[in-house]
Amino acid sequence: MQQRPPARASVLETVLLGATVFVPTLAQGAILRRPRMVRLAARFDTHRRAHRTLARVRSRHGAGPVSVTVPGRRMLLLLSPQDARILFTATPAPLTPANREKAGALRHFEPDGVLISPAEVRPERRAFNETVLDRGAPAHRLFPVLTPRIREEAQALLALHHGSARPLDWDDFSAAFWRIIRRVVLGDAARDDHRITELLARLRADGNWLNLRRPKDRTRDAFLARVRAYVDSAEPGSLAALVAATPSTEATEPVGQVPHWLFAYDAASIATYSALALLASHPEQADRVRTELAGTDPAQPATADALPFLRACVLESLRLWPTSLAILRDTTADITWHNGTSTPADTCVVFYSSFFHRDDQHVPHADEFAPEAWLDGRNEDNWALAPFSHGPAKCPGQDLVLFTAATLLAALLRDHKALLLLPRRPLAPPVPLPRTIDHTSLRFALLPK
Ligand code: HEM
C-alpha cells in the first residue's frame, strides 16, 4: 500500500513554530532552568503563544501529526491524544526514548542513564531502576524512614521564617528541597554536600545546549566519583544503599543510573512550590487539604494511600505547568499514525506537554486548578495528560516524587496557612491561570493558624 506522508507545515507556520515553540522552550533551559529566561517567558506567557500557534496549525491541517522542516532534522509535531497514545505505547521500538537531542543533553551528566540508553542495554537498566524505585509496589520500602527526614527539613525551613517578616522565597525552598533530595538519594551524610549539586548544575547548564557543547569530562568525572563514593558507603535508608544491594550485570551501570534521579528530583521542587501557590490562591482546595491533614496522624509515617488530595494537587501543578517541557522520541523504523499517515525512521517526534495538558478540546478543565479530576476518574485514560509519561518509559520515580512533595507540603501546612505575596495578580479565577509560571518569583507568608 502506498504510504501517505503527514501534512507539512508551511514556511510561515514553520517560522511561527520556531519563534513561539522551539526558541522559547530552549531559551528557558530544558535541563536547567535559566531564571532570567523563565521570568521573561512568564512575562510574555510564552506557552500561551505556543498554544495559539499549535492550535492554528491543527485547525488548518487537522488533528494528524504535522511535519516541520528544520535544517538537518526531520521533525514531527503531534497534535492529538490518539497519536500521543501511539508515541507512548510504541516505545522503545519503533519509537526510542533515546532521542538524539535528549541524548545530546543528558550525556553531559548521565551518559549511562536508562532514558538515553541503546536498545541492547535498555531492558536491564529499566529493570534495575524499577527495582530500586519499587515501581509497581503499593509503597516504596523507604517511605517510613524518609518521612521523618522530610518533616525535619520542613521544620528547618519554617524555623528560618519563624517570628520574622521575611517571606518564604524560592532560594530558601529550593535549598531545603535539595537537602531532602540528597538525603533520600545519597543518604544523610550528603545533606550538606552542596558541591555535588553545584557540579551537577554546571553539567546541566551545558546540557541546555544539547549537542552544541562538548561534555566537560573533568567535571563529569568529579561528579560521578562523588556519586560512586556515596553508593560505596551505602548509607542505610537511602536509594544509594538500595543501588549497592540490588543485583546487576556489567551492562546495568548501577551508579550511572543515580545522576538521573538527582536531576529529575529537582523538578519535583518546582512542582511542589507551584502547588503551594495554587493552594494559597484557592481557598476551597486549601480547606480540603486542611480536612485531609486533620484526618492523618503526623506521628505516623506516610503510607501508600496517604494524603491523596495533596498528591493530586502536585499532579495538577505538573499538569498546569509541566516540568518536562516536551517528551521526545526518535523513530527507528516506519511508523503509521492514527490518520493513516506514515513517517520513516530517524524522525524526531515531539509531544509538547503544555499544549496537550491545556487543550480544552480534550481536557474540559484545561485552565482550572482541578486536583479532584485526578481522583474522580476524569483524567483517567486521557493520553493528553502525561506529567510522568505513559507506557514502557513512564517515570518509575512518580510515587517517590508525589510522596516527597505531599509529605513536605503537609508538614508546612499542618500548622500554617500559606499566603501568596507575589505575583500580585492572583493565580485564581476570575483571572485565567497563566500557561507559563515563573516559580522563582513566587513569595509566600506562612502564617500560624
Ligand atoms: C517532578 C518530578 C519528575 C517528573 C515530572 C518526571 C517525569 C518523567 C517523564 C515525563 C519521564 C519520561 C520521559 C519519556 O517518556 O521520554 C521520566 C522518565 C524517568 N524518570 Fe522521572 N520525573 C520526575 C522525577 C523523577 C525522579 C525523582 C526519579 C528517580 C528517583 C525519576 C526517574 C525516572 C527514570 C529512571 C526515567 C527513565 C525511564 C525510562 O527511560 O524507562 N524521575 N520522568
Side-chain angles (χ1 to χ4, degrees):
M1 198 175 76
Q2 180 78 32
Q3 294 200 333
R4 199 158 53 88
R8 180 178 290 278
S10 68
V11 174
L12 176 65
E13 285 166 343
T14 305
V15 171
L16 271 175
L17 287 165
T20 62
V21 180
F22 299 126
V23 170
T25 301
L26 288 172
Q28 280 183 66
I31 305 298
L32 180 70
R33 294 291 187 272
R34 299 179 175 108
R36 277 171 53 195
M37 288 298 169
V38 170
R39 216 163 298 149
L40 212 58
R43 169 117 72 80
F44 294 102
D45 203 352
T46 53
H47 286 301
R48 186 172 297 280
R49 287 163 197 259
H51 196 100
R52 229 180 277 146
T53 305
L54 290 162
R56 178 178 160 161
V57 168
R58 183 168 62 187
S59 72
R60 175 153 177 255
H61 298 286
V66 169
S67 75
V68 188
T69 311
V70 176
R73 191 71 163 127
R74 217 179 359 244
M75 297 195 72
L76 191 74
L77 285 174
L78 302 189
L79 300 168
S80 71
Q82 294 95 313
D83 286 329
R85 177 185 187 188
I86 296 175
L87 172 126
F88 293 124
T89 53
T91 292
L95 285 161
T96 174
N99 144 276
R100 204 192 302 168
E101 287 73 20
K102 199 193 297 173
L106 299 185
R107 78 196 162 120
H108 289 274
F109 54 93
E110 50 161 285
D112 297 316
V114 59
L115 194 51
I116 56 167
S117 291
E120 317 80 80
V121 289
R122 178 176 167 79
E124 275 160 281
R125 292 182 184 171
R126 172 78 198 184
F128 182 84
N129 273 276
E130 290 195 357
T131 306
V132 173
L133 298 172
D134 278 350
R135 172 135 165 77
H140 195 283
R141 72 203 103 154
L142 294 184
F143 283 179
V145 289
L146 298 180
T147 307
R149 294 183 198 169
I150 296 169
R151 288 182 183 151
E152 253 172 57
E153 295 303 339
Q155 291 315 317
L157 182 60
L158 286 170
L160 280 181
H161 300 272
H162 187 71
S164 83
R166 190 173 146 202
L168 172 65
D169 66 14
W170 169 246
D171 286 347
D172 287 342
F173 186 85
S174 166
F177 209 98
W178 263 110
R179 283 192 278 274
I180 294 173
I181 296 174
R182 290 188 297 260
R183 291 178 77 176
V184 173
V185 178
L186 306 171
D188 284 352
R191 178 182 188 266
D192 297 313
D193 187 353
H194 304 287
R195 176 84 183 137
I196 199 163
T197 305
E198 267 166 37
L199 288 169
L200 178 58
R202 263 198 250 161
L203 298 166
R204 287 172 63 187
D206 284 348
N208 280 345
W209 293 90
L210 314 180
N211 281 313
L212 298 176
R213 282 218 175 138
R214 281 162 60 88
K216 288 195 178 75
D217 290 340
R218 279 178 44 199
T219 312
R220 187 168 71 183
D221 290 350
F223 166 67
L224 292 175
R226 256 180 141 86
V227 172
R228 188 176 302 278
Y230 286 111
V231 173
D232 288 346
S233 64
E235 189 182 291
S238 66
L239 294 181
L242 302 183
V243 170
T246 302
S248 59
T249 66
E250 208 178 305
T252 311
E253 296 287 355
V255 176
Q257 306 312 309
V258 182
H260 184 84
W261 308 342
L262 291 168
F263 151 64
Y265 231 141
D266 193 19
S269 63
I270 302 177
T272 312
Y273 199 58
S274 307
L276 189 62
L278 287 163
L279 286 169
S281 324
H282 291 77
E284 199 185 306
Q285 284 84 353
D287 280 349
R288 196 158 159 199
V289 166
R290 260 186 283 284
T291 309
E292 183 168 88
L293 291 177
T296 59
D297 179 354
Q300 292 300 314
T303 55
D305 50 2
L307 306 172
F309 189 72
L310 254 184
R311 283 204 308 248
C313 290
V314 178
L315 266 175
E316 187 64 351
S317 154
L318 282 164
R319 179 185 72 78
L320 292 165
W321 300 300
T323 52
S324 302
L325 300 177
I327 296 182
L328 304 177
R329 296 282 183 271
D330 277 356
T331 54
T332 56
D334 276 9
I335 183 159
T336 302
W337 302 99
H338 88 279
N339 63 350
T341 60
S342 302
T343 32
D346 201 24
T347 303
C348 168
V349 185
V350 182
F351 171 98
Y352 190 68
S353 308
S354 106
F355 174 68
F356 276 96
H357 289 190
R358 298 281 198 114
D359 181 4
D360 59 9
Q361 281 193 10
H362 300 288
V363 186
H365 46 281
D367 289 324
E368 288 160 34
F369 176 48
E372 58 287 351
W374 293 100
L375 302 172
D376 62 17
R378 270 181 288 161
N379 288 351
E380 231 160 80
D381 301 326
N382 188 342
W383 295 90
L385 303 179
F388 288 96
S389 190
H390 293 284
K394 183 182 164 79
C395 178
Q398 172 171 346
D399 285 348
L400 193 60
V401 168
L402 297 182
F403 153 80
T404 308
T407 308
L408 177 59
L409 286 173
L412 293 177
L413 293 174
R414 188 171 288 283
D415 300 317
H416 292 81
K417 190 173 162 212
L419 183 72
L420 185 62
L421 302 176
L422 279 175
R424 289 203 186 83
R425 232 171 69 120
L427 289 175
V431 182
L433 277 177
R435 298 231 165 110
T436 321
I437 191 166
D438 170 16
H439 61 278
T440 68
S441 300
L442 299 173
R443 305 243 189 301
F444 300 89
L446 287 174
L447 309 174
K449 276 200 290 191

